[in-house]
Amino acid sequence: GHEHLNGSLVVPLVDEAGCVVSLYGRKIRNDLRAGTPKHLYLPGPHRGLFNPGALSSRTVIVCEAVIDALTFLSAEIDNVTTAYGVEGFTPELLAALTAHDVERVLVAYDADAAGDAAAAELAAKLGGEGIASSRIVFPKGMDANEVARRVPPANTSLARAVERAAPIGGAAPGRQPAAK
């Protein structure tokens, strides 16, 4: 009765070869004890990627949480992956973005102080790698999942948010494709 991911929607996180290396869990029950986190990962260092197929796009959306990335996918926006929260953009994800010659990242972090600060920090990190960044701006205090639920139809509201993404972190020149 005390399993780590009990009562959660569980999503596998994979390495570049498609092998499951970690799990994400999102609590979906309403009878949780006070203080129970809604977003869980397996103990240990964060590993794995969500939706590595998104890396084949020149522009990739990076969300703050898996549930937000799933929301984009359900709205038929496929070029999306996720960090492990505002402080969880991993070296593995950065390496994957650069290895796949991603030119632009749309940062879809929550519209709050933590999301704004993390988006600016991420833009600086990406700019150092030659990857341009834009911020998907949601209404204050909202994330992709809440926008999709409150502003139907979700595919239209999220597509508009993507179209309105504003450059952040200065204009990075964009990546030059690797010589083949």
Side-chain angles (χ1 to χ4, degrees):
H2 296 286
E3 295 84 3
H4 186 62
L5 298 171
N6 186 34
S8 300
L9 164 75
V10 179
V11 177
L13 301 171
V14 299
D15 62 15
E16 287 273 351
C19 297
V20 176
V21 295
S22 190
L23 298 172
Y24 162 80
R26 171 64 160 84
K27 294 292 184 184
I28 56 174
R29 296 172 40 178
N30 293 326
D31 61 347
L32 303 174
R33 283 179 281 166
T36 301
K38 288 188 175 183
H39 302 272
L40 300 169
Y41 298 94
L42 293 180
H46 293 310
R47 292 188 55 218
L49 303 171
F50 173 79
N51 191 25
L55 302 175
S56 64
S57 298
R58 293 292 141 235
T59 298
V60 174
I61 299 167
V62 174
C63 295
E64 183 176 321
V66 172
I67 200 77
D68 293 325
L70 285 168
T71 301
F72 276 102
L73 283 171
S74 353
E76 300 178 0
I77 300 172
D78 299 335
N79 59 324
V80 62
T81 191
T82 185
Y84 291 86
V86 292
E87 296 180 9
F89 185 85
T90 63
E92 179 181 18
L93 181 52
L94 180 60
L97 291 168
T98 57
H100 288 273
D101 296 322
V102 171
E103 296 172 357
R104 182 175 175 223
V105 167
L106 305 181
V107 182
Y109 286 4
D110 298 3
D112 56 21
D116 292 342
E121 183 179 317
L122 177 55
K125 186 178 292 187
L126 293 168
E129 297 293 327
I131 301 173
S133 301
S134 293
R135 177 82 155 109
I136 295 177
V137 181
F138 300 118
K140 193 71 177 156
M142 294 176 79
D143 60 20
N145 187 261
E146 193 167 358
V147 167
R149 288 183 294 117
R150 290 191 180 201
V151 188
N155 59 341
T156 301
S157 59
L158 291 176
R160 283 188 185 138
V162 168
E163 289 169 8
R164 294 182 190 142
I168 54 174
R175 293 191 50 80
Q176 297 301 315
K180 303 244 189 258

